[in-house]
Structures are given as C-alpha cells and as structure tokens.
Amino acid sequence: MILHLPKILDPDQLARCRALLAEAEWADGRITAGTQAATAKNNRQLPEDSPQAQTLRGIVLEALSRNAQFFTAALPKRIYPPLFNRYGDTANSFGNHVDNAIRTHPASAQHVRTDLSFTLFLNDPEEYDGGELVIEDGFGGRPVKLPAGDLILYPSYSVHRVEPVTRGARLACFSWLESMVREPQRRELLYELDMAILSLRQEQGETDTAVRLTSCYHNLLRMCAMV
Ligand code: NI
C-alpha cells in the first residue's frame, strides 16, 4: 500500500523547518546509505548530530504523533529518528535502490526493522523541476511529487529512486519505521477496516453496528500486534 497523507505539517511548522534548513550545513548523503544504495546516491543530507537536525526531528516526530491517519496506517512501534535531505545542483538524484532491512541508530544503538518508509516534502513542487520519488510497483513505477507538508508512506521493500532535480532544490524529510503489525496484508486490512468504520460513524453516528465493528477492529489488532 502506498499512501498519501496530506498536511502533516501546518504552514507555521513548515516555515520553522525551512528557516532551520536554510541555516544548516549539509553533508554528503552517502553518510547513511548501505553499500548498494551508496553507489546510486548523490544528494546532500544533514548530519544526524547537527543542532538544526535535532530541532527538525522534534517538529516532525511531534507532528506525526498527533496524526491519527499516520498512526492507523503505519501502526508504528519504532520510528528511526527522521533525516533531512536536499537534491539540487550537482548532488541531485538517487538511482534505483532498496532501503536496508535494519537501521541501527548510532546514538542509541537501537535497531529498527524497516517495514515502511516515508518522505515528507518540505518545499512545493513549483520550486523545482524533476525530483519525483518513483516507487516501482510492477507497472513501471509511480512518480510522486507532493505539496510541502504532505507525506508519502510506502513499503520499505519497494525498489525506488529520486529522479534528477534539474532546476531549484528539493527539500525533504525521510525515515523508516517498524510497525506493530509486520505483515503488509494484515496492516492494510486493519487500515481499510478502521477507515470504513470511521466513514460509517461519520454517516450514521455511534450505532450498535459501529460499536460492534470497532470491537472487531480492536480484537483483530490485539491478534496481530507485536508490541
Ligand atoms: Ni530509499
């Protein structure tokens, strides 16, 4: 399941992020790439210990923790501390690759199994040409380029790339997460059920049927969740 989650960041949060990114010092993006990915990766990234990156991570994690749709879609158990990248000038693309299955955070030594990847766009598509995130889906790939503040959530097992940026610069936050429900089909079924129950409650209010279906949802989640 590839999911577009709109308006994760509001305009104030975006403005704070953009100000922090403008004063930060960028490094070579290969600092966090695996061996295969490093050969394809050509972008800039904030070092994980830069002061701006630490503040930016706080803004993003707080926004994610308040977003109910992100929670039900991802059912996050652990989120790798988000990273920030810039594609532009001569460091402007990331060829086809797969994200490493396990990320180990250098500061905490904590392992995160990457079930889902996300990219949170931090500037608008009009500010640059190219820079589409292309997620291979068996039909030649799906190009994704979203408004600032919007997030794309996709399976970490997907082959994906970022097309060259040919004008301006593309700014984004990205990371990976381990889900409480490891199997994609179970996670997707739970998400569909939760969204359907939400629609039912919006259309018909708190009916007995809605209560019984909500009970089914939570009992299924109990069966599937590994916490
Ligand atoms: Ni990747």
Side-chain angles (χ1 to χ4, degrees):
M1 181 169 63
I2 298 174
L3 209 59
H4 171 189
L5 303 179
K7 295 186 168 57
I8 295 286
L9 296 180
D10 65 29
D12 285 350
Q13 290 166 320
L14 273 172
R16 284 169 61 206
C17 288
R18 293 291 296 273
L20 286 159
L21 290 169
E23 69 184 36
E25 287 198 28
W26 296 93
D28 190 315
R30 280 171 285 217
I31 48 181
T32 56
T35 313
Q36 186 274 324
T39 62
K41 191 172 185 181
N42 178 29
N43 67 359
R44 312 289 284 168
Q45 201 166 299
L46 290 192
E48 294 190 53
D49 58 358
S50 96
Q52 290 86 3
Q54 291 174 34
T55 309
L56 285 159
R57 275 201 293 276
I59 295 170
V60 171
L61 287 172
E62 208 251 348
L64 290 176
S65 74
R66 290 170 184 271
N67 192 286
Q69 195 185 0
F70 175 79
F71 182 85
T72 192
L75 296 167
K77 181 176 180 179
R78 297 191 186 101
I79 302 177
Y80 188 90
L83 300 165
F84 298 85
N85 60 19
R86 179 186 189 280
Y87 291 82
D89 308 316
T90 54
N92 65 354
S93 67
F94 195 167
N96 267 345
H97 67 281
V98 166
D99 297 340
N100 281 6
I102 306 289
R103 309 291 318 192
T104 304
H105 187 239
S108 64
Q110 188 176 51
H111 301 300
V112 176
R113 187 188 63 234
T114 59
D115 296 322
L116 291 165
S117 303
F118 68 79
T119 295
L120 171 59
F121 290 78
L122 296 177
N123 63 340
D124 277 315
E126 296 75 35
E127 295 181 47
Y128 56 94
D129 290 335
E132 295 85 358
L133 171 68
V134 180
I135 302 162
E136 296 283 351
D137 56 5
F139 295 95
R142 177 187 311 219
V144 178
K145 191 166 170 177
L146 300 178
D150 287 16
L151 180 146
I152 187 92
L153 185 67
Y154 60 99
S156 298
Y157 56 72
S158 320
V159 173
H160 56 276
R161 65 180 177 274
V162 176
E163 298 285 19
V165 170
T166 54
R167 176 187 64 88
R170 171 197 194 266
L171 299 167
C173 166
F174 68 102
S175 195
W176 308 271
L177 65 91
E178 181 172 329
S179 177
M180 290 184 276
V181 176
R182 179 178 178 174
E183 297 80 4
Q185 286 175 319
R186 291 185 183 187
R187 197 185 318 116
E188 288 170 26
L189 181 134
L190 284 161
Y191 175 72
E192 286 301 322
L193 179 58
D194 198 25
M195 289 293 106
I197 293 169
L198 186 65
S199 299
L200 187 71
R201 288 160 82 186
Q202 283 167 350
E203 287 162 16
Q204 301 184 9
E206 297 294 340
T207 60
D208 283 350
T209 306
V211 172
R212 287 167 66 192
L213 282 170
T214 304
S215 166
C216 289
Y217 170 80
H218 285 286
N219 286 329
L220 276 172
L221 183 55
R222 254 181 217 102
M223 287 165 64
C224 297
M226 305 285 284
V227 290

